[in-house]
Amino acid sequence: MALVIAGERSGVGKTTVTLTLLASLCRRDRLVQSFKVGPDYIDPMFHQHVTGRACRNLDPVLTSEAYVQQCFAYHSQLSEYALVEGVMGLFDGISSLAISHTLREGKAPMSFAKDKEQRTNDEGQRTNDKGQITDFASTAHIARLLDLPVVLAIDCSRLSGSVAAIAHGYRSFDPRIKIAGVVLNRVGSDRHLSLLKDSLEPLQLPILGVMRRQDNITIPDRHLGLVPTAELPELNALIDRLADLGDTCFDWQRLLPLLKSEPLSFFASSSLSASFPVRIAVARDRAFNFYYQDNLDLLQQLGAELVFWSPLEDTDIPKDIQGMYFGGGFPEVFAQQLAENSSVRHAVKTAILKGMPTIAECGGLMYLCEQIIDFEGKSWSMAGVLPTSAVMGGRLTLGYRRAVALQDNLLVKANTTVYGHEFHRSHLTLTPTQPLFETFRYDCDENMGCEGWGLPANIYASYVHQHWGENREIPQQFLKECLKVASSKTWI
């Protein structure tokens, strides 16, 4: 048993409700494991800041349905309570067929139309006339996969009696979803609350929490969502206010049994027998902090030592390393500081040109460019490895991708299909002459263009974020290349 916090749509306060629950539980010295549905990086940062435990992403597109179940079962059994924050509205997903994410190495790429003939639906899934699951990767999909009850958060700021129609509709839409109750958010007054309760009473649906409008509880956001935790000096004070709120606004007598984590059976993943005794420099600071914890765990399980460092603050790259990993983040926000740290920019470029295996995802790719041109049109020098510039703009590139490797590269072989997610407001002034991937929308054959830099051959720079949980061959391949550096004693 555990609990899913879902919303009737985006923006209803799922994250606030989740953080309030987590803060109050942790104040009571409860050991709690949190999860986040979807590919998001920032919400899990807030979870981890509160609980002290890495939040785990549950995303069957980036991984698989089986991996979602294994990940939840393994990590939830290590804690007393477990809580899953949903994504968007409860039934908001994508139209897709369940996909086996085994790497298709060495095979000719297949179109979605042909490939889907080899895919199977889960019996009982909600499908359309094409046989596609219509809410794949939604919060409802995850709740069904894990057989968990759902608490529905409802934004009550602009309604009263209509709350019952909303609650009734969500409870009856899919009978397999167990709605355990509702949390009424942004309630304005005692009279407002009375109207809401009167409307809900005929449904006999428990009200598990009432959160009044809170002018002093605001998490700032910007062009890609919430501002990350490392940039919020007043965050601890905010979490304390949330804990105070959580102590009084929830029906804990009903909630605690739902949150209780029970031991679950799961299929243990195959052991990682290969050992790669190498040191990997992982850029982690305010500019670079988008990493899936499972990816970092896999590198360590394979024998790598992770050395965390800051391209913003440090004066050189770490010593005695055999590989570098630049995750996503907000280099555009800190472009001036990154540019002013010329010694690190030069060291990064020198290391790569000498053959250092390097992964650079999204923000990391931008850092390897010649320049970042910010929203105000100002140019800032970056590492200068890639002969292109990253230009910030208003257009948002967003969505899951099916990417087919066009050539052998640092991580995968030619014709291998991988799945990832793009989320950025920058574009490059020049496209690579020999791109890594041809990309498609995840759920159809719509071509999204070619992207990714693999020259020099020891780099992998792409806008597509990947979760390696289902594809351990990827970190293994990376560490094999790093081990070659270690064997050559080039950096020791």
Side-chain angles (χ1 to χ4, degrees):
M1 183 67 72
L3 198 59
V4 177
I5 302 298
E8 25 99 3
R9 53 190 162 86
S10 293
V12 301
K14 289 188 304 295
T15 299
T16 301
V17 172
T18 300
L19 292 178
T20 302
L21 281 165
L22 293 176
S24 191
L25 283 168
C26 291
R27 174 178 283 183
R28 299 162 184 239
D29 294 325
R30 308 288 190 177
L31 187 62
V32 56
Q33 175 64 55
S34 70
F35 301 85
K36 171 65 181 178
V37 178
D40 184 36
Y41 289 101
I42 300 179
D43 286 354
M45 294 181 195
F46 283 86
H47 291 203
Q48 182 169 353
H49 185 87
V50 175
T51 67
R53 300 173 66 88
C55 175
R56 305 289 168 164
N57 290 76
L58 303 176
D59 191 319
V61 176
L62 298 184
T63 58
S64 69
E65 292 175 312
Y67 185 86
V68 166
Q69 293 171 322
Q70 293 166 11
C71 177
F72 178 81
Y74 177 76
H75 291 288
S76 63
Q77 72 177 356
L78 303 177
S79 62
E80 188 178 3
Y81 296 96
L83 186 64
V84 180
E85 179 184 351
V87 62
M88 302 176 67
L90 176 57
F91 297 101
D92 294 331
I94 60 175
S95 179
S96 180
L97 293 167
I99 293 177
S100 171
H101 285 60
T102 304
L103 291 178
R104 305 180 59 87
E105 189 173 307
K107 297 181 181 179
M110 301 175 68
S111 71
F112 181 86
K114 293 180 180 178
D115 197 17
K116 71 180 182 181
E117 295 174 0
Q118 300 185 6
R119 304 172 186 170
T120 57
N121 295 17
D122 283 352
E123 184 177 355
Q125 295 277 23
R126 185 178 295 277
T127 61
N128 59 17
D129 58 0
K130 298 178 183 178
Q132 292 178 308
I133 301 169
T134 55
D135 64 351
F136 193 84
S138 67
T139 305
H141 182 197
I142 299 304
R144 292 195 302 266
L145 279 177
L146 303 179
D147 193 25
L148 298 180
V150 172
V151 169
L152 186 67
I154 302 177
D155 180 359
C156 301
S157 60
R158 293 177 177 85
L159 57 85
S160 56
S162 298
V163 69
I166 293 172
H168 173 68
Y170 276 80
R171 182 169 66 173
S172 60
F173 183 72
D174 186 343
R176 294 166 298 168
I177 301 299
K178 299 173 289 187
I179 304 292
V182 296
V183 170
L184 306 180
N185 193 24
R186 298 168 186 155
V187 176
S189 65
D190 290 343
R191 173 59 178 162
H192 187 199
L193 178 59
S194 178
L195 292 171
L196 296 168
K197 286 183 174 180
D198 289 345
S199 178
L200 288 168
E201 186 175 3
L203 299 182
Q204 297 184 328
L205 186 63
I207 298 174
L208 299 176
V210 176
M211 299 179 65
R212 304 291 182 121
R213 293 175 186 168
Q214 302 290 327
D215 295 331
N216 66 335
I217 298 179
T218 303
I219 303 175
D221 60 6
R222 59 176 175 228
H223 57 280
L224 290 182
L226 297 179
V227 175
T229 55
E231 298 179 50
L232 300 176
E234 303 298 323
L235 182 57
N236 287 334
L238 172 64
I239 298 302
D240 284 340
R241 291 196 294 273
L242 288 174
D244 291 339
L245 176 63
D247 289 344
T248 58
C249 74
F250 294 122
D251 185 342
W252 286 106
Q253 188 173 356
R254 284 176 165 172
L255 275 173
L256 282 177
L258 295 174
L259 289 160
K260 188 73 174 178
S261 179
E262 301 292 343
L264 300 172
S265 61
F266 69 97
F267 296 101
S269 301
S270 57
S271 60
L272 302 177
S273 57
S275 180
F276 302 90
V278 296
R279 282 165 52 90
I280 308 298
V282 180
R284 189 164 70 178
D285 56 19
R286 290 170 297 156
F288 305 100
N289 44 43
F290 288 5
Y291 297 96
Y292 293 122
Q293 184 62 44
D294 289 9
N295 287 6
L296 301 179
D297 288 351
L298 276 173
L299 290 172
Q300 291 178 312
Q301 291 167 15
L302 286 165
E305 177 186 353
L306 304 186
V307 183
F308 296 102
W309 71 291
S310 171
L312 285 172
E313 305 291 345
D314 293 337
T315 58
D316 198 357
I317 62 175
K319 303 299 182 184
D320 303 331
I321 59 171
Q322 293 83 40
M324 295 190 294
Y325 186 6
F326 293 89
F330 291 98
E332 68 274 15
V333 175
F334 303 96
Q336 180 175 353
Q337 189 175 347
L338 289 169
E340 291 173 348
N341 197 348
S342 58
S343 62
V344 163
R345 290 192 291 109
H346 177 72
V348 168
K349 182 175 182 178
T350 299
I352 291 175
L353 294 182
K354 285 185 176 181
M356 179 77 71
T358 301
I359 297 173
E361 291 181 335
C362 200
L365 176 152
M366 294 166 65
Y367 183 64
L368 297 191
C369 292
E370 292 178 343
Q371 295 176 320
I372 288 178
I373 302 173
D374 65 21
F375 286 108
E376 298 177 353
K378 296 179 181 178
S379 299
W380 306 100
S381 295
M382 294 292 119
V385 177
L386 307 178
T388 186
S389 295
V391 182
M392 301 307 301
R395 180 177 177 271
L396 176 63
T397 301
L398 170 67
Y400 289 111
R401 300 289 181 259
R402 178 169 54 93
V404 180
L406 298 174
Q407 57 180 302
D408 291 355
N409 59 65
L410 180 67
L411 299 186
V412 297
K413 299 294 185 181
N415 296 321
T416 298
T417 297
V418 297
Y419 298 88
H421 188 264
E422 282 193 81
F423 189 38
H424 54 92
R425 291 190 184 274
S426 67
H427 67 274
L428 303 182
T429 55
L430 292 176
T431 56
T433 56
Q434 299 182 48
L436 294 180
F437 295 111
E438 184 176 13
T439 64
F440 304 85
R441 268 184 48 182
Y442 168 79
D443 55 351
C444 69
D445 273 330
E446 181 181 346
N447 193 306
M448 303 302 292
C450 295
E451 75 92 46
W453 296 74
L455 290 176
N458 54 293
I459 67 168
Y460 174 96
S462 170
Y463 269 124
V464 179
H465 292 281
Q466 290 187 53
H467 189 299
W468 302 332
E470 192 82 338
N471 293 326
R472 296 181 174 187
E473 297 93 336
I474 291 176
Q476 286 175 333
Q477 177 60 32
F478 174 56
L479 294 181
K480 284 179 182 177
E481 296 301 315
C482 295
L483 194 60
K484 292 178 183 177
V485 174
S487 301
S488 69
K489 308 294 183 181
T490 304
W491 304 99
I492 299 178

